[in-house]
């Protein structure tokens, strides 16, 4: 099913999902081009949980080989826009 | 009828505040089920029941602060009529019956007590198990020097109990009355006490080895390719299992140092170091680590990390680790020189996986490598045994399908 979401909608959703996974992290200061790991102390388990959450939210399959595309906010927006348009 | 007591969860804990009861009068409670949440000045901890039965009476009120060993509730044991109460009370002063099988591993008498049986009343033995006290470290004041209930309570109050691990930081501190803030400072103090004791008392030796992770990474990649996202495995879970299994061959590394002797644990409960985003760390046990499949371990690991960060770990998860694994690879560190958590006798560390030149069958090739290190208590093991252990970890990681 083709859907399209505006970048700001994707950002908002990504922030919400990150907030659910890492409630202790300060999401107000997330920079778009720096990895979540470096900014929010997100570890591999948090990241896996994030991918699971994206899968549930957007009904998309994210193979492990795509993980590097999802490590920043900019990357997430690009990846999700592309995936959702497929 | 048995008493549910305020347990001790650390060497310096003398009292605790009941946050809330998880059961009401009349409710059935199973052994191992959470019965109460207690605040220990350092953290809120879920306390498990050591008995199966029905809640007869709740004595302590939420918000009330009581000393360690205080009777907080009465549980009517399942299948036991009321008449047995008197029998049990009698047994305390005159042990006529065989002591019950040990509930926690800490009740195993240490070799330091000599070949004879430890003289301890069944009630005292049970209380010691509930409070996490090693009875072999106690001096008995009962008939013929046997250990009675009062001896256990006294030991609990003076705080002569070995430290059992750092405490969790409650992620969501709602400031419920006595459950005060400023846990960060206190968790730091707890770690300080444990680590200072470790460096003061434990003669560490350190070994390390570089392990080729090529096969393990390829296997994991193939495995995860077949799996839906929610069922994928993390690399760290392979490491935990690869540490747990060889402990069967080198059991000296799996246990505790208590009193003046090493106590090997029959069960393998690997403590997993989890860093908390607010600072500090905890290392709760994944029980029976060696017996879990990788899938089960993954689920348990996910669950324990989530609860560690939410501050809802259970008392036995703090008291039961028999060895600890720490992985600092995600922070970019290549080698860990770990400090053992007393009273454990070993800690295994993993650094990050790095691509480096490596010789395979006479050819220099690029391989993903990880440095595994062992910090061990030289009172208990020597480098030779430690080396055998690390070699066994390496071998297992070359055959990941066997994990």
């Amino acid at each position: 099913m083709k859907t399209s979401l505006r970048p700001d909608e994707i950002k908002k959703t990504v922030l919400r999902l990150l907030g659910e996974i890492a409630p202790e992290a300060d999401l107000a200061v997330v920079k778009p081009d720096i990895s979540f790991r470096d900014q929010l102390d997100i570890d591999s388990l948090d990241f896996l949980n994030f991918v699971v959450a994206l899968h549930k939210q957007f009904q998309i399959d994210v193979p492990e080989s795509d993980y590097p595309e999802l490590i920043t906010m900019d990357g997430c927006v690009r990846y999700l826009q592309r995936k959702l348009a497929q | 009828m048995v008493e549910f007591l305020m347990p001790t969860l650390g060497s310096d804990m003398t009292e605790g505040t009941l946050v809330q009861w998880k059961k009401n009068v009349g409710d059935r409670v199973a052994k191992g089920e959470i019965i109460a949440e207690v605040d220990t000045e350092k953290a809120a901890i879920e306390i498990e029941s050591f008995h199966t039965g029905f809640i007869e009476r709740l004595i302590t009120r939420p918000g009330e602060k009581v000393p360690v060993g205080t009777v907080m509730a009465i549980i009517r044991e399942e299948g036991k009529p009321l008449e047995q109460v008197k029998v049990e009370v009698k047994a305390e002063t005159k042990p006529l019956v065989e002591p019950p099988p040990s509930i926690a591993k800490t009740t195993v008498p240490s070799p330091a007590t000599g070949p004879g049986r430890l003289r301890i009343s069944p009630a005292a033995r049970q209380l010691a198990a509930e409070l996490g006290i090693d009875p072999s470290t106690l001096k008995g004041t009962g008939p013929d020097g046997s250990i009675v209930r009062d001896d256990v309570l006294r030991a609990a109050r003076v705080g002569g109990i070995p430290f059992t691990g750092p405490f969790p930081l409650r992620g969501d501190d709602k400031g419920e009355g006595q459950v005060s803030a400023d846990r960060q400072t206190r968790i730091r103090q707890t770690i300080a006490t444990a680590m200072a004791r470790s460096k003061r008392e434990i003669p560490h030796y350190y070994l390390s080895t570089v392990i080729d992770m090529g096969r393990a990474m390829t296997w994991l990649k193939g495995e995860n390719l077949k799996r839906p996202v929610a069922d994928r495995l993390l690399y760290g879970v392979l490491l935990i299992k690869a540490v747990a299994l060889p402990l069967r061959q080198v059991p000296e590394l799996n246990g505790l140092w208590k009193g003046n002797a090493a106590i090997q644990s029959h069960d393998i409960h690997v403590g997993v170091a989890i860093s908390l985003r607010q600072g500090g760390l905890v290392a709760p046990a994944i029980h029976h680590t060696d017996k879990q499949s990788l899938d089960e371990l993954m689920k348990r690991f996910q669950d324990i990390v989530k609860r560690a960060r939410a501050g809802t770990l259970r008392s036995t998860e703090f008291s039961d680790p028999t060895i600890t694994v720490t992985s600092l690879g995600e922070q970019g560190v290549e080698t860990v020189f770990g400090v053992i958590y007393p009273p454990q006798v070993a800690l295994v560390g993993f650094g990050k996986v790095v691509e480096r030149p490596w010789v395979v069958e006479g050819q220099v090739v690029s391989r993903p490598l990880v440095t595994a290190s062992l910090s061990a208590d030289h009172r208990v093991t020597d480098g030779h045994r430690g080396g055998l252990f690390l070699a066994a970890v390496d071998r297992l990681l070359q055959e990941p399908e066997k994990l």
Side-chain angles (χ1 to χ4, degrees):
Chain A
M1 186 180 67
K2 267 193 178 183
T3 50
S4 67
L5 276 175
R6 291 198 317 272
D8 61 317
E9 289 173 315
I10 293 179
K11 265 185 210 170
K12 222 170 120 185
T13 308
V14 166
L15 280 178
R16 179 172 57 77
L17 298 177
L18 284 172
E20 284 165 15
I21 290 155
E24 321 90 294
D26 184 4
L27 297 170
V29 295
V30 172
K31 295 194 177 78
D33 54 347
I34 295 176
S35 78
F36 297 133
R37 175 168 301 176
D38 291 344
Q39 296 185 77
L40 305 172
D41 209 2
I42 294 286
D43 62 19
S44 54
L45 180 57
D46 297 322
F47 192 78
L48 179 61
N49 290 335
F50 175 58
V51 175
V52 172
L54 288 178
H55 165 75
K56 281 189 189 149
Q57 177 75 34
F58 296 108
Q59 306 292 311
I60 51 165
D61 184 41
V62 184
E64 257 190 340
S65 51
D66 289 354
Y67 285 5
E69 295 190 58
L70 294 168
I71 61 170
T72 64
M73 182 59 89
D74 281 350
C76 280
V77 172
R78 276 195 301 271
Y79 182 82
L80 291 170
Q81 278 192 310
R82 192 178 79 229
K83 270 275 187 181
L84 294 172
Q86 278 169 10
Chain B
M1 213 68 78
V2 289
E3 296 166 339
F4 174 77
L5 307 164
M6 173 63 77
T8 182
L9 299 152
S11 57
D12 52 352
M13 175 175 165
T14 53
E15 55 188 12
T17 303
L18 175 68
V19 177
Q20 59 168 315
W21 287 111
K22 300 282 190 182
K23 296 281 173 188
N24 291 313
V25 172
D27 283 356
R28 186 179 181 276
V29 60
K31 187 180 165 186
E33 218 181 330
I34 309 299
I35 179 167
E37 188 181 337
V38 164
D39 189 63
T40 65
E41 299 238 316
K42 292 183 186 65
I45 294 178
E46 294 187 326
I47 310 294
E48 296 159 75
S49 173
F50 277 92
H51 308 277
T52 296
F54 295 89
I55 308 288
E56 186 78 13
R57 207 144 62 89
L58 297 175
I59 299 162
T60 308
R61 284 186 305 275
E64 208 177 326
K65 188 183 265 191
V66 295
V68 164
T70 302
V71 179
M72 297 173 71
I74 304 289
I75 298 169
R76 178 161 42 87
E77 280 185 291
E78 214 163 54
K80 285 199 182 174
L82 283 171
E83 298 85 76
Q84 288 210 358
V85 177
K86 284 177 193 149
V87 178
E88 281 192 10
V89 172
K90 263 187 199 160
E92 184 176 336
T93 46
K94 205 172 182 187
L96 297 169
V97 290
E98 193 71 1
S102 60
I103 291 162
K105 64 184 177 303
T106 47
T107 60
V108 177
S110 87
T113 56
R117 261 174 91 110
L118 190 68
R119 301 181 76 89
I120 178 167
S121 75
R125 182 181 292 275
Q126 183 155 351
L127 180 65
E130 286 176 24
L131 296 177
I133 294 170
D134 177 3
S136 68
T137 60
L138 303 179
K139 196 169 178 301
T141 59
D144 299 324
S146 64
I147 298 162
V148 294
R149 222 163 158 276
D150 275 353
D151 298 322
V152 181
L153 283 175
R154 207 173 304 117
R157 287 192 183 122
V158 299
I161 303 109
F163 182 81
T164 49
F167 293 88
L169 183 66
R170 195 173 167 79
D172 181 18
D173 191 347
K174 297 187 190 85
E176 296 147 308
Q178 295 87 341
V179 184
S180 60
D182 203 19
R183 288 184 196 279
Q184 293 225 33
T185 311
R186 288 180 306 200
I187 197 171
R188 209 58 253 163
Q189 282 166 350
T190 306
I191 294 171
T193 307
M195 295 297 103
R197 176 179 159 196
S198 178
K199 282 284 178 170
R200 194 170 56 239
E201 294 178 7
I202 303 177
H204 287 65
Y205 70 88
Y206 307 92
L207 305 175
S208 84
T209 192
V210 176
I211 298 175
D212 178 357
M213 290 300 287
R215 285 197 190 89
M217 300 302 252
T218 306
W219 179 83
L220 185 64
K221 216 171 173 180
E223 195 62 28
N224 281 344
L225 209 57
K226 293 184 271 182
R227 291 162 177 257
V229 59
D231 293 342
R232 284 178 199 161
L233 297 171
L234 282 178
Y235 145 82
V237 170
L238 301 187
L239 301 181
I240 295 169
K241 188 75 184 282
V243 165
L245 286 175
L247 290 170
R248 292 176 181 167
Q249 278 87 56
V250 194
E252 311 94 288
L253 292 170
N254 183 58
L256 308 175
W257 177 270
K258 289 211 166 175
N260 215 8
I263 305 170
Q264 279 178 25
S265 170
H266 175 69
D267 297 322
I268 296 171
H269 305 312
V270 174
V272 184
I274 300 165
S275 67
L276 304 170
R277 266 182 277 270
Q278 306 93 323
L281 84 159
V282 291
I286 296 183
H287 288 102
H288 303 287
T289 323
D290 58 321
K291 294 181 181 150
Q292 318 270 338
S293 69
L294 288 176
D295 286 288
E296 286 165 339
L297 263 187
M298 181 68 201
K299 296 283 170 241
R300 302 275 290 270
F301 180 64
Q302 276 177 306
D303 172 58
I304 214 164
V305 172
K306 192 172 158 195
R307 287 190 294 108
R309 292 190 168 147
T312 53
L313 289 170
R314 293 168 194 148
S315 46
T316 54
E317 287 165 343
F318 282 104
S319 55
D320 288 354
T322 53
I323 188 169
T324 296
V325 173
T326 181
S327 171
L328 290 176
E330 301 207 13
Q331 278 76 38
V333 168
E334 279 189 33
T335 311
V336 179
F337 307 93
V339 182
I340 300 166
Y341 283 139
Q344 293 166 41
V345 297
L347 178 138
V348 182
F350 291 96
K352 77 165 168 180
V353 178
V354 289
E355 282 284 337
R356 289 278 157 82
W358 191 249
V359 179
V360 180
E361 292 165 6
Q363 300 291 315
V364 179
V365 291
S366 174
R367 303 288 277 189
L369 308 175
V370 73
T371 302
S373 63
L374 170 73
S375 306
D377 187 333
H378 220 326
R379 295 173 297 187
V380 183
T381 55
D382 302 319
H384 176 67
R385 297 294 288 166
L388 284 177
F389 168 76
L390 278 185
V393 173
D394 186 347
R395 268 198 307 280
L396 264 175
L397 288 168
Q398 303 314 313
E399 298 177 298
E401 63 285 350
K402 289 192 180 166
L403 286 170

